[in-house]
Amino acid sequence: MPERTAGVDAGDPQMADAFAERDAFFAEQGFTGNGPLRATTEAQRALVQAQKEWTEAKGGVWDDRSETILLALGSDTCETGILNQHRVDGTTLKKLIVSSPLTAQLIPKDTPADQAALYERNIASMSVFSASYLCPADKDAWEAAFRTAYPG
């Protein structure tokens, strides 16, 4: 997973605790390699199943790439919450989504601004939905952040 440590004082004891928590989260989730992500925990399997059912009910196609993207979005969101010491808001979420390499990959470069904004909102929604399974203690904070960052 990408490091989001720019501007962070790694010598700060609170940040040392946050990095340790982040590393423990990655280990618990099995997010330690560089290959495609696959659901391995009960929470991950429940997340993937829920999103797969929703996607297919809307006429979409679910595949291994979809699973990797979903788990990566959730992982990045949980990591951000951990490194922000579980203090997140609309600005935190917006910055996460806009700066994410995943967002850049998922929104075609020539997409009109209004359509790109819809893609971005959907990516944010999937990120928050994923986090509700992978780091449920932060669920309410991420949902409030989503309502602030992407109203309507």
Side-chain angles (χ1 to χ4, degrees), residues 15-150:
M15 287 313 302
D17 290 346
F19 285 125
E21 181 183 349
R22 188 253 338 245
D23 293 347
F25 168 77
F26 284 157
E28 257 177 35
Q29 297 295 323
F31 297 151
T32 54
N34 290 326
L37 299 177
R38 293 292 168 257
T40 58
T41 69
E42 185 177 319
Q44 291 170 10
R45 286 189 292 274
L47 164 63
V48 168
Q49 186 62 35
Q51 187 65 41
K52 178 182 180 195
E53 288 173 2
W54 184 88
T55 299
E56 291 175 345
K58 299 288 184 186
V61 175
W62 190 261
D63 57 18
D64 288 346
R65 181 174 183 265
S66 303
E67 183 171 333
T68 294
I69 290 168
L70 182 69
L71 293 170
L73 290 172
S75 174
D76 288 352
T77 304
C78 293
E79 177 186 23
T80 298
I82 291 166
L83 294 180
N84 281 285
Q85 299 169 350
H86 305 280
R87 292 186 302 262
V88 298
D89 59 18
T91 301
T92 307
L93 178 60
K94 188 82 166 172
K95 185 185 287 187
L96 167 65
I97 300 304
V98 170
S99 68
S100 173
L102 277 169
T103 300
Q105 291 174 18
L106 295 171
I107 301 176
K109 293 189 186 319
D110 59 346
T111 303
D114 61 334
Q115 188 66 31
L118 181 59
Y119 277 123
E120 179 186 315
R121 185 180 200 287
N122 289 341
I123 292 165
S125 177
M126 285 180 60
S127 296
V128 169
F129 180 70
S130 298
S132 74
Y133 283 82
L134 303 183
C135 49
D138 290 342
K139 177 183 179 202
D140 292 343
W142 282 118
E143 288 176 351
F146 180 80
R147 287 190 301 274
T148 299
Y150 300 95

